[in-house]
Amino acid sequence: MALIARCVSVMQAGGSDQWDDQYPNREVIGEDLQRGTLFAAEGEGRILGIVVLDESQAEQYQTINWRQVEGPHLMMHRLAVDPEAHGQGIARKLVAFSEEYGTREGYRSLRLDTYAKNTAALKLYQGLGYDLRGEVNFPGRVASFPVFEKVLG
């Protein structure tokens, strides 16, 4: 939770309201842990970043024209890198892990969304070959969420 608090602080200082003190909260992260869907990048004796991988798609995804229609599809949520570890390639490693995990587990594609104000994430996903498939909106957020997909295998 300390890592998430540091991420929220950096996001808000940069003008993004993607995360706040309501989301992601201890209950959300606790459920990720309980389901076994939260994965961590560790180094220097601490957690450097996290990512959640599951099959849970937001209902807003039904409006997206996906490239890979046949499933199953893996969703990436809550990718976060400790601001103290920025610049070490942790986000890229977590995305690479997610792709390898998805391929190994038989998923046909990896799908995700990120906040339109999160320029670092937009650059990361586009640079790693993710296709922009559209955008969705979530209640309480000012900006839209571009939606990406990468076909696996």
Side-chain angles (χ1 to χ4, degrees), residues 15-34:
S16 175
D17 62 335
Q18 180 176 2
W19 287 3
D20 55 28
D21 59 351
Q22 300 298 310
Y23 178 86
N25 58 38
R26 185 174 295 279
E27 183 179 337
V28 169
I29 299 300
E31 289 173 6
D32 294 336
L33 288 167
Q34 201 168 38

mmCIF file with all atom_site columns, all heavy atoms in Angstrom, residues 15-34:
data_model
loop_
_atom_site.group_PDB
_atom_site.id
_atom_site.type_symbol
_atom_site.label_atom_id
_atom_site.label_alt_id
_atom_site.label_comp_id
_atom_site.label_asym_id
_atom_site.label_entity_id
_atom_site.label_seq_id
_atom_site.pdbx_PDB_ins_code
_atom_site.Cartn_x
_atom_site.Cartn_y
_atom_site.Cartn_z
_atom_site.occupancy
_atom_site.B_iso_or_equiv
_atom_site.pdbx_formal_charge
_atom_site.auth_seq_id
_atom_site.auth_comp_id
_atom_site.auth_asym_id
_atom_site.auth_atom_id
_atom_site.pdbx_PDB_model_num
ATOM 1   N N   . GLY A 1 15 ? -0.713  16.061  -12.293 1.00 0.00 ? 15 GLY A N   1
ATOM 2   C CA  . GLY A 1 15 ? -1.988  16.492  -12.844 1.00 0.00 ? 15 GLY A CA  1
ATOM 3   C C   . GLY A 1 15 ? -2.937  15.382  -13.229 1.00 0.00 ? 15 GLY A C   1
ATOM 4   O O   . GLY A 1 15 ? -3.947  15.617  -13.894 1.00 0.00 ? 15 GLY A O   1
ATOM 5   N N   . SER A 1 16 ? -2.652  14.146  -12.817 1.00 0.00 ? 16 SER A N   1
ATOM 6   C CA  . SER A 1 16 ? -3.525  13.026  -13.151 1.00 0.00 ? 16 SER A CA  1
ATOM 7   C C   . SER A 1 16 ? -4.361  12.604  -11.952 1.00 0.00 ? 16 SER A C   1
ATOM 8   O O   . SER A 1 16 ? -3.850  12.431  -10.853 1.00 0.00 ? 16 SER A O   1
ATOM 9   C CB  . SER A 1 16 ? -2.697  11.818  -13.620 1.00 0.00 ? 16 SER A CB  1
ATOM 10  O OG  . SER A 1 16 ? -3.543  10.702  -13.831 1.00 0.00 ? 16 SER A OG  1
ATOM 11  N N   . ASP A 1 17 ? -5.661  12.421  -12.201 1.00 0.00 ? 17 ASP A N   1
ATOM 12  C CA  . ASP A 1 17 ? -6.565  11.937  -11.159 1.00 0.00 ? 17 ASP A CA  1
ATOM 13  C C   . ASP A 1 17 ? -6.930  10.461  -11.383 1.00 0.00 ? 17 ASP A C   1
ATOM 14  O O   . ASP A 1 17 ? -7.962  9.994   -10.937 1.00 0.00 ? 17 ASP A O   1
ATOM 15  C CB  . ASP A 1 17 ? -7.835  12.797  -11.107 1.00 0.00 ? 17 ASP A CB  1
ATOM 16  C CG  . ASP A 1 17 ? -8.642  12.753  -12.403 1.00 0.00 ? 17 ASP A CG  1
ATOM 17  O OD1 . ASP A 1 17 ? -8.057  12.488  -13.467 1.00 0.00 ? 17 ASP A OD1 1
ATOM 18  O OD2 . ASP A 1 17 ? -9.854  12.989  -12.342 1.00 0.00 ? 17 ASP A OD2 1
ATOM 19  N N   . GLN A 1 18 ? -6.043  9.731   -12.078 1.00 0.00 ? 18 GLN A N   1
ATOM 20  C CA  . GLN A 1 18 ? -6.311  8.323   -12.382 1.00 0.00 ? 18 GLN A CA  1
ATOM 21  C C   . GLN A 1 18 ? -6.512  7.504   -11.103 1.00 0.00 ? 18 GLN A C   1
ATOM 22  O O   . GLN A 1 18 ? -7.454  6.741   -11.004 1.00 0.00 ? 18 GLN A O   1
ATOM 23  C CB  . GLN A 1 18 ? -5.169  7.724   -13.206 1.00 0.00 ? 18 GLN A CB  1
ATOM 24  C CG  . GLN A 1 18 ? -5.392  6.257   -13.559 1.00 0.00 ? 18 GLN A CG  1
ATOM 25  C CD  . GLN A 1 18 ? -4.303  5.688   -14.458 1.00 0.00 ? 18 GLN A CD  1
ATOM 26  O OE1 . GLN A 1 18 ? -3.346  6.364   -14.796 1.00 0.00 ? 18 GLN A OE1 1
ATOM 27  N NE2 . GLN A 1 18 ? -4.461  4.447   -14.841 1.00 0.00 ? 18 GLN A NE2 1
ATOM 28  N N   . TRP A 1 19 ? -5.617  7.664   -10.142 1.00 0.00 ? 19 TRP A N   1
ATOM 29  C CA  . TRP A 1 19 ? -5.713  6.980   -8.857  1.00 0.00 ? 19 TRP A CA  1
ATOM 30  C C   . TRP A 1 19 ? -5.836  8.027   -7.762  1.00 0.00 ? 19 TRP A C   1
ATOM 31  O O   . TRP A 1 19 ? -5.359  9.154   -7.910  1.00 0.00 ? 19 TRP A O   1
ATOM 32  C CB  . TRP A 1 19 ? -4.497  6.112   -8.597  1.00 0.00 ? 19 TRP A CB  1
ATOM 33  C CG  . TRP A 1 19 ? -4.422  4.847   -9.410  1.00 0.00 ? 19 TRP A CG  1
ATOM 34  C CD1 . TRP A 1 19 ? -5.301  4.431   -10.379 1.00 0.00 ? 19 TRP A CD1 1
ATOM 35  C CD2 . TRP A 1 19 ? -3.426  3.840   -9.323  1.00 0.00 ? 19 TRP A CD2 1
ATOM 36  N NE1 . TRP A 1 19 ? -4.893  3.224   -10.898 1.00 0.00 ? 19 TRP A NE1 1
ATOM 37  C CE2 . TRP A 1 19 ? -3.746  2.839   -10.271 1.00 0.00 ? 19 TRP A CE2 1
ATOM 38  C CE3 . TRP A 1 19 ? -2.288  3.690   -8.555  1.00 0.00 ? 19 TRP A CE3 1
ATOM 39  C CZ2 . TRP A 1 19 ? -2.969  1.706   -10.449 1.00 0.00 ? 19 TRP A CZ2 1
ATOM 40  C CZ3 . TRP A 1 19 ? -1.510  2.547   -8.743  1.00 0.00 ? 19 TRP A CZ3 1
ATOM 41  C CH2 . TRP A 1 19 ? -1.857  1.571   -9.678  1.00 0.00 ? 19 TRP A CH2 1
ATOM 42  N N   . ASP A 1 20 ? -6.470  7.618   -6.649  1.00 0.00 ? 20 ASP A N   1
ATOM 43  C CA  . ASP A 1 20 ? -6.620  8.531   -5.516  1.00 0.00 ? 20 ASP A CA  1
ATOM 44  C C   . ASP A 1 20 ? -6.717  7.720   -4.230  1.00 0.00 ? 20 ASP A C   1
ATOM 45  O O   . ASP A 1 20 ? -6.391  6.529   -4.233  1.00 0.00 ? 20 ASP A O   1
ATOM 46  C CB  . ASP A 1 20 ? -7.846  9.438   -5.710  1.00 0.00 ? 20 ASP A CB  1
ATOM 47  C CG  . ASP A 1 20 ? -9.133  8.649   -5.956  1.00 0.00 ? 20 ASP A CG  1
ATOM 48  O OD1 . ASP A 1 20 ? -9.259  7.486   -5.484  1.00 0.00 ? 20 ASP A OD1 1
ATOM 49  O OD2 . ASP A 1 20 ? -10.030 9.203   -6.605  1.00 0.00 ? 20 ASP A OD2 1
ATOM 50  N N   . ASP A 1 21 ? -7.178  8.330   -3.161  1.00 0.00 ? 21 ASP A N   1
ATOM 51  C CA  . ASP A 1 21 ? -7.257  7.603   -1.890  1.00 0.00 ? 21 ASP A CA  1
ATOM 52  C C   . ASP A 1 21 ? -8.417  6.601   -1.859  1.00 0.00 ? 21 ASP A C   1
ATOM 53  O O   . ASP A 1 21 ? -8.530  5.817   -0.928  1.00 0.00 ? 21 ASP A O   1
ATOM 54  C CB  . ASP A 1 21 ? -7.332  8.567   -0.702  1.00 0.00 ? 21 ASP A CB  1
ATOM 55  C CG  . ASP A 1 21 ? -8.536  9.492   -0.773  1.00 0.00 ? 21 ASP A CG  1
ATOM 56  O OD1 . ASP A 1 21 ? -9.236  9.515   -1.811  1.00 0.00 ? 21 ASP A OD1 1
ATOM 57  O OD2 . ASP A 1 21 ? -8.777  10.199  0.216   1.00 0.00 ? 21 ASP A OD2 1
ATOM 58  N N   . GLN A 1 22 ? -9.264  6.610   -2.899  1.00 0.00 ? 22 GLN A N   1
ATOM 59  C CA  . GLN A 1 22 ? -10.370 5.658   -2.986  1.00 0.00 ? 22 GLN A CA  1
ATOM 60  C C   . GLN A 1 22 ? -10.041 4.438   -3.857  1.00 0.00 ? 22 GLN A C   1
ATOM 61  O O   . GLN A 1 22 ? -10.601 3.368   -3.665  1.00 0.00 ? 22 GLN A O   1
ATOM 62  C CB  . GLN A 1 22 ? -11.618 6.354   -3.563  1.00 0.00 ? 22 GLN A CB  1
ATOM 63  C CG  . GLN A 1 22 ? -12.091 7.530   -2.725  1.00 0.00 ? 22 GLN A CG  1
ATOM 64  C CD  . GLN A 1 22 ? -12.493 7.109   -1.329  1.00 0.00 ? 22 GLN A CD  1
ATOM 65  O OE1 . GLN A 1 22 ? -13.262 6.182   -1.149  1.00 0.00 ? 22 GLN A OE1 1
ATOM 66  N NE2 . GLN A 1 22 ? -11.944 7.795   -0.327  1.00 0.00 ? 22 GLN A NE2 1
ATOM 67  N N   . TYR A 1 23 ? -9.167  4.611   -4.827  1.00 0.00 ? 23 TYR A N   1
ATOM 68  C CA  . TYR A 1 23 ? -8.820  3.530   -5.749  1.00 0.00 ? 23 TYR A CA  1
ATOM 69  C C   . TYR A 1 23 ? -7.377  3.699   -6.211  1.00 0.00 ? 23 TYR A C   1
ATOM 70  O O   . TYR A 1 23 ? -7.001  4.792   -6.620  1.00 0.00 ? 23 TYR A O   1
ATOM 71  C CB  . TYR A 1 23 ? -9.743  3.534   -6.970  1.00 0.00 ? 23 TYR A CB  1
ATOM 72  C CG  . TYR A 1 23 ? -9.362  2.448   -7.959  1.00 0.00 ? 23 TYR A CG  1
ATOM 73  C CD1 . TYR A 1 23 ? -9.857  1.163   -7.826  1.00 0.00 ? 23 TYR A CD1 1
ATOM 74  C CD2 . TYR A 1 23 ? -8.467  2.715   -8.987  1.00 0.00 ? 23 TYR A CD2 1
ATOM 75  C CE1 . TYR A 1 23 ? -9.473  0.172   -8.713  1.00 0.00 ? 23 TYR A CE1 1
ATOM 76  C CE2 . TYR A 1 23 ? -8.083  1.726   -9.865  1.00 0.00 ? 23 TYR A CE2 1
ATOM 77  C CZ  . TYR A 1 23 ? -8.586  0.465   -9.722  1.00 0.00 ? 23 TYR A CZ  1
ATOM 78  O OH  . TYR A 1 23 ? -8.198  -0.524  -10.590 1.00 0.00 ? 23 TYR A OH  1
ATOM 79  N N   . PRO A 1 24 ? -6.618  2.611   -6.208  1.00 0.00 ? 24 PRO A N   1
ATOM 80  C CA  . PRO A 1 24 ? -6.940  1.299   -5.641  1.00 0.00 ? 24 PRO A CA  1
ATOM 81  C C   . PRO A 1 24 ? -6.732  1.320   -4.125  1.00 0.00 ? 24 PRO A C   1
ATOM 82  O O   . PRO A 1 24 ? -5.731  1.833   -3.647  1.00 0.00 ? 24 PRO A O   1
ATOM 83  C CB  . PRO A 1 24 ? -5.961  0.354   -6.325  1.00 0.00 ? 24 PRO A CB  1
ATOM 84  C CG  . PRO A 1 24 ? -4.783  1.208   -6.678  1.00 0.00 ? 24 PRO A CG  1
ATOM 85  C CD  . PRO A 1 24 ? -5.313  2.609   -6.880  1.00 0.00 ? 24 PRO A CD  1
ATOM 86  N N   . ASN A 1 25 ? -7.663  0.753   -3.413  1.00 0.00 ? 25 ASN A N   1
ATOM 87  C CA  . ASN A 1 25 ? -7.597  0.765   -1.949  1.00 0.00 ? 25 ASN A CA  1
ATOM 88  C C   . ASN A 1 25 ? -7.184  -0.605  -1.406  1.00 0.00 ? 25 ASN A C   1
ATOM 89  O O   . ASN A 1 25 ? -6.983  -1.557  -2.157  1.00 0.00 ? 25 ASN A O   1
ATOM 90  C CB  . ASN A 1 25 ? -8.931  1.229   -1.348  1.00 0.00 ? 25 ASN A CB  1
ATOM 91  C CG  . ASN A 1 25 ? -10.085 0.346   -1.795  1.00 0.00 ? 25 ASN A CG  1
ATOM 92  O OD1 . ASN A 1 25 ? -9.953  -0.868  -1.923  1.00 0.00 ? 25 ASN A OD1 1
ATOM 93  N ND2 . ASN A 1 25 ? -11.232 0.958   -2.030  1.00 0.00 ? 25 ASN A ND2 1
ATOM 94  N N   . ARG A 1 26 ? -7.063  -0.691  -0.090  1.00 0.00 ? 26 ARG A N   1
ATOM 95  C CA  . ARG A 1 26 ? -6.623  -1.924  0.565   1.00 0.00 ? 26 ARG A CA  1
ATOM 96  C C   . ARG A 1 26 ? -7.544  -3.100  0.234   1.00 0.00 ? 26 ARG A C   1
ATOM 97  O O   . ARG A 1 26 ? -7.083  -4.228  0.049   1.00 0.00 ? 26 ARG A O   1
ATOM 98  C CB  . ARG A 1 26 ? -6.550  -1.691  2.082   1.00 0.00 ? 26 ARG A CB  1
ATOM 99  C CG  . ARG A 1 26 ? -5.990  -2.865  2.861   1.00 0.00 ? 26 ARG A CG  1
ATOM 100 C CD  . ARG A 1 26 ? -5.799  -2.513  4.327   1.00 0.00 ? 26 ARG A CD  1
ATOM 101 N NE  . ARG A 1 26 ? -4.797  -1.467  4.527   1.00 0.00 ? 26 ARG A NE  1
ATOM 102 C CZ  . ARG A 1 26 ? -3.480  -1.686  4.549   1.00 0.00 ? 26 ARG A CZ  1
ATOM 103 N NH1 . ARG A 1 26 ? -3.009  -2.885  4.390   1.00 0.00 ? 26 ARG A NH1 1
ATOM 104 N NH2 . ARG A 1 26 ? -2.641  -0.692  4.749   1.00 0.00 ? 26 ARG A NH2 1
ATOM 105 N N   . GLU A 1 27 ? -8.853  -2.831  0.130   1.00 0.00 ? 27 GLU A N   1
ATOM 106 C CA  . GLU A 1 27 ? -9.807  -3.904  -0.181  1.00 0.00 ? 27 GLU A CA  1
ATOM 107 C C   . GLU A 1 27 ? -9.569  -4.464  -1.587  1.00 0.00 ? 27 GLU A C   1
ATOM 108 O O   . GLU A 1 27 ? -9.545  -5.680  -1.790  1.00 0.00 ? 27 GLU A O   1
ATOM 109 C CB  . GLU A 1 27 ? -11.239 -3.358  -0.069  1.00 0.00 ? 27 GLU A CB  1
ATOM 110 C CG  . GLU A 1 27 ? -12.307 -4.404  -0.305  1.00 0.00 ? 27 GLU A CG  1
ATOM 111 C CD  . GLU A 1 27 ? -13.709 -3.845  -0.168  1.00 0.00 ? 27 GLU A CD  1
ATOM 112 O OE1 . GLU A 1 27 ? -13.905 -2.811  0.507   1.00 0.00 ? 27 GLU A OE1 1
ATOM 113 O OE2 . GLU A 1 27 ? -14.614 -4.457  -0.747  1.00 0.00 ? 27 GLU A OE2 1
ATOM 114 N N   . VAL A 1 28 ? -9.379  -3.568  -2.567  1.00 0.00 ? 28 VAL A N   1
ATOM 115 C CA  . VAL A 1 28 ? -9.133  -4.000  -3.950  1.00 0.00 ? 28 VAL A CA  1
ATOM 116 C C   . VAL A 1 28 ? -7.850  -4.822  -4.030  1.00 0.00 ? 28 VAL A C   1
ATOM 117 O O   . VAL A 1 28 ? -7.832  -5.916  -4.613  1.00 0.00 ? 28 VAL A O   1
ATOM 118 C CB  . VAL A 1 28 ? -9.056  -2.768  -4.887  1.00 0.00 ? 28 VAL A CB  1
ATOM 119 C CG1 . VAL A 1 28 ? -8.534  -3.146  -6.268  1.00 0.00 ? 28 VAL A CG1 1
ATOM 120 C CG2 . VAL A 1 28 ? -10.417 -2.092  -4.992  1.00 0.00 ? 28 VAL A CG2 1
ATOM 121 N N   . ILE A 1 29 ? -6.779  -4.323  -3.443  1.00 0.00 ? 29 ILE A N   1
ATOM 122 C CA  . ILE A 1 29 ? -5.495  -5.033  -3.474  1.00 0.00 ? 29 ILE A CA  1
ATOM 123 C C   . ILE A 1 29 ? -5.590  -6.346  -2.690  1.00 0.00 ? 29 ILE A C   1
ATOM 124 O O   . ILE A 1 29 ? -5.049  -7.372  -3.110  1.00 0.00 ? 29 ILE A O   1
ATOM 125 C CB  . ILE A 1 29 ? -4.355  -4.140  -2.935  1.00 0.00 ? 29 ILE A CB  1
ATOM 126 C CG1 . ILE A 1 29 ? -4.208  -2.884  -3.814  1.00 0.00 ? 29 ILE A CG1 1
ATOM 127 C CG2 . ILE A 1 29 ? -3.047  -4.913  -2.845  1.00 0.00 ? 29 ILE A CG2 1
ATOM 128 C CD1 . ILE A 1 29 ? -3.879  -3.142  -5.267  1.00 0.00 ? 29 ILE A CD1 1
ATOM 129 N N   . GLY A 1 30 ? -6.314  -6.325  -1.580  1.00 0.00 ? 30 GLY A N   1
ATOM 130 C CA  . GLY A 1 30 ? -6.523  -7.542  -0.795  1.00 0.00 ? 30 GLY A CA  1
ATOM 131 C C   . GLY A 1 30 ? -7.226  -8.619  -1.607  1.00 0.00 ? 30 GLY A C   1
ATOM 132 O O   . GLY A 1 30 ? -6.866  -9.797  -1.547  1.00 0.00 ? 30 GLY A O   1
ATOM 133 N N   . GLU A 1 31 ? -8.233  -8.215  -2.393  1.00 0.00 ? 31 GLU A N   1
ATOM 134 C CA  . GLU A 1 31 ? -8.935  -9.177  -3.260  1.00 0.00 ? 31 GLU A CA  1
ATOM 135 C C   . GLU A 1 31 ? -8.001  -9.714  -4.336  1.00 0.00 ? 31 GLU A C   1
ATOM 136 O O   . GLU A 1 31 ? -8.041  -10.908 -4.658  1.00 0.00 ? 31 GLU A O   1
ATOM 137 C CB  . GLU A 1 31 ? -10.163 -8.514  -3.888  1.00 0.00 ? 31 GLU A CB  1
ATOM 138 C CG  . GLU A 1 31 ? -11.277 -8.262  -2.891  1.00 0.00 ? 31 GLU A CG  1
ATOM 139 C CD  . GLU A 1 31 ? -12.428 -7.448  -3.474  1.00 0.00 ? 31 GLU A CD  1
ATOM 140 O OE1 . GLU A 1 31 ? -12.424 -7.162  -4.693  1.00 0.00 ? 31 GLU A OE1 1
ATOM 141 O OE2 . GLU A 1 31 ? -13.334 -7.089  -2.697  1.00 0.00 ? 31 GLU A OE2 1
ATOM 142 N N   . ASP A 1 32 ? -7.149  -8.845  -4.906  1.00 0.00 ? 32 ASP A N   1
ATOM 143 C CA  . ASP A 1 32 ? -6.168  -9.303  -5.898  1.00 0.00 ? 32 ASP A CA  1
ATOM 144 C C   . ASP A 1 32 ? -5.261  -10.368 -5.284  1.00 0.00 ? 32 ASP A C   1
ATOM 145 O O   . ASP A 1 32 ? -4.994  -11.405 -5.908  1.00 0.00 ? 32 ASP A O   1
ATOM 146 C CB  . ASP A 1 32 ? -5.303  -8.136  -6.383  1.00 0.00 ? 32 ASP A CB  1
ATOM 147 C CG  . ASP A 1 32 ? -6.073  -7.084  -7.170  1.00 0.00 ? 32 ASP A CG  1
ATOM 148 O OD1 . ASP A 1 32 ? -7.136  -7.405  -7.734  1.00 0.00 ? 32 ASP A OD1 1
ATOM 149 O OD2 . ASP A 1 32 ? -5.594  -5.936  -7.209  1.00 0.00 ? 32 ASP A OD2 1
ATOM 150 N N   . LEU A 1 33 ? -4.790  -10.114 -4.060  1.00 0.00 ? 33 LEU A N   1
ATOM 151 C CA  . LEU A 1 33 ? -3.912  -11.064 -3.378  1.00 0.00 ? 33 LEU A CA  1
ATOM 152 C C   . LEU A 1 33 ? -4.635  -12.370 -3.075  1.00 0.00 ? 33 LEU A C   1
ATOM 153 O O   . LEU A 1 33 ? -4.097  -13.460 -3.279  1.00 0.00 ? 33 LEU A O   1
ATOM 154 C CB  . LEU A 1 33 ? -3.371  -10.448 -2.085  1.00 0.00 ? 33 LEU A CB  1
ATOM 155 C CG  . LEU A 1 33 ? -2.326  -9.350  -2.268  1.00 0.00 ? 33 LEU A CG  1
ATOM 156 C CD1 . LEU A 1 33 ? -2.097  -8.607  -0.962  1.00 0.00 ? 33 LEU A CD1 1
ATOM 157 C CD2 . LEU A 1 33 ? -1.027  -9.933  -2.797  1.00 0.00 ? 33 LEU A CD2 1
ATOM 158 N N   . GLN A 1 34 ? -5.875  -12.245 -2.609  1.00 0.00 ? 34 GLN A N   1
ATOM 159 C CA  . GLN A 1 34 ? -6.656  -13.430 -2.257  1.00 0.00 ? 34 GLN A CA  1
ATOM 160 C C   . GLN A 1 34 ? -6.914  -14.315 -3.479  1.00 0.00 ? 34 GLN A C   1
ATOM 161 O O   . GLN A 1 34 ? -6.869  -15.539 -3.395  1.00 0.00 ? 34 GLN A O   1
ATOM 162 C CB  . GLN A 1 34 ? -7.983  -12.984 -1.634  1.00 0.00 ? 34 GLN A CB  1
ATOM 163 C CG  . GLN A 1 34 ? -8.663  -14.017 -0.791  1.00 0.00 ? 34 GLN A CG  1
ATOM 164 C CD  . GLN A 1 34 ? -9.801  -13.394 0.018   1.00 0.00 ? 34 GLN A CD  1
ATOM 165 O OE1 . GLN A 1 34 ? -10.519 -12.519 -0.457  1.00 0.00 ? 34 GLN A OE1 1
ATOM 166 N NE2 . GLN A 1 34 ? -9.955  -13.851 1.243   1.00 0.00 ? 34 GLN A NE2 1
#
